[in-house]
Amino acid sequence: MKWLLTLLMTAGLLASPASAWASCGAETDRSGTITIDVGSATRVFVLKVPSGGDGRTPAPVLFALHPYGVNATYMQSRVSSRLWPEAIMVYPEGFPGRGGPAWQGRPGEADDRDVAFFDAMLAWLDAHECIDRQRVFVMGYSNGAALASVLACARNTAIAGVAIASGRQACAPTGAKPVVLAHGLRDASIGYQQAIQAAGSWSKVNQCSAPPKVETPGCFAATSCSLASTILCTYPGGHEYNSAFSREFIEAFQKVGKKP
């Protein structure tokens, strides 16, 4: 099916919401490792499809982006499919490098190779799985958080929510959406000030009257957000992934699209 993916990408058909049900009712692919061509590069992602899915009900999608130097297997151990069994989980592999797999950290960096990878994965999912294009979410940790931030800007209309753990804000948000941030107070790699900055920027875009509480352990929401929620989870540790954050952002994402 690589020729089909190439054709779709060349035509610019990054499936619109109207095509979100293109594969619904058809037999879907099983979970496993998927290889696709993106330009001249071969890229890989691990797919976890709900075991109880009927192939007819559009499912939410969660992309989980690993930190620098590790891989998709690592991210599966941090964001398990068991936490959201109804969702299609996507664990992409970063671009191979001397220090291990890595992601672009700013818009335009490395010719936007990882933005193109995201587009290709989304096109593949449109063609092979029954996905809900109104509920496509992206989360990332550290270097993966940088790409999540890039995608929140570059692919704002394709993403329904974003979660950023121990990351820098790669660009100014361009459109409102639910965001859940996590950062350690003693993070020596990416300072906690980055989380404060990101929480403030997202609170403005989401039209909140005040940003979340900072420098206090726990998860706090911004005040009176008229467009979308902004949540900051502060942890007492450093630059490590806090397992409680997975449940926090997944619970926030599960509310998206549901009637109050």
Side-chain angles (χ1 to χ4, degrees):
M1 299 297 288
K2 290 181 180 179
W3 63 270
L4 175 60
L5 175 62
T6 302
L7 178 62
L8 288 171
M9 294 297 291
T10 302
L13 299 179
L14 298 177
S16 65
S19 66
W21 300 276
S23 295
C24 296
E27 183 178 355
T28 58
D29 293 285
R30 297 181 179 179
S31 300
T33 300
I34 309 298
T35 301
I36 56 177
D37 289 337
V38 185
S40 60
T42 298
R43 304 297 298 267
V44 174
F45 63 95
V46 175
L47 183 72
K48 293 289 185 181
V49 177
S51 58
D54 58 11
R56 297 178 178 85
T57 303
V61 179
L62 174 60
F63 289 83
L65 304 169
H66 64 72
Y68 176 80
V70 292
N71 54 26
T73 300
Y74 170 88
M75 212 58 202
Q76 290 178 73
S77 71
R78 293 293 181 260
V79 186
S80 170
S81 60
R82 293 191 298 273
L83 295 173
W84 198 357
E86 301 82 14
I88 294 172
M89 309 291 284
V90 183
Y91 304 96
E93 293 270 0
F95 196 84
R98 183 173 299 177
W103 307 105
Q104 70 178 87
R106 296 183 301 276
E109 185 177 74
D111 295 324
D112 274 334
R113 69 187 182 204
D114 296 316
V115 175
F117 183 28
F118 174 78
D119 291 342
M121 289 187 288
L122 203 51
W124 188 97
L125 290 166
D126 273 321
H128 294 81
E129 301 294 337
C130 184
I131 70 171
D132 186 346
R133 283 293 297 269
Q134 303 301 318
R135 293 189 296 163
V136 174
F137 305 94
V138 175
M139 74 79 53
Y141 167 35
S142 191
N143 178 222
L147 178 58
S149 178
V150 169
L151 292 173
C153 295
R155 294 296 180 263
N156 182 269
T157 59
I159 296 172
V162 61
I164 296 174
S166 303
R168 292 185 175 89
Q169 185 170 294
C171 46
T174 57
K177 65 178 71 280
V179 61
V180 190
L181 306 161
H183 220 101
L185 284 167
R186 298 195 298 271
D187 192 331
S189 298
I190 299 175
Y192 182 77
Q193 186 64 34
Q194 293 288 332
I196 296 176
Q197 177 184 341
S201 296
W202 279 105
S203 294
K204 289 180 181 178
V205 171
N206 289 338
Q207 293 189 8
C208 309
S209 61
K213 182 187 295 187
V214 301
E215 297 182 342
T216 302
C219 294
F220 300 95
T223 305
S224 302
C225 299
S226 60
L227 296 181
S229 60
T230 303
I231 299 172
L232 171 60
C233 295
T234 298
Y235 300 106
H239 192 73
E240 65 263 0
Y241 191 82
N242 193 298
S243 59
F245 181 60
S246 295
R247 191 171 300 279
E248 190 70 32
F249 75 76
I250 285 175
E251 288 181 353
F253 288 167
Q254 288 173 329
K255 298 175 183 176
V256 175
K258 289 188 176 181
K259 295 180 180 180

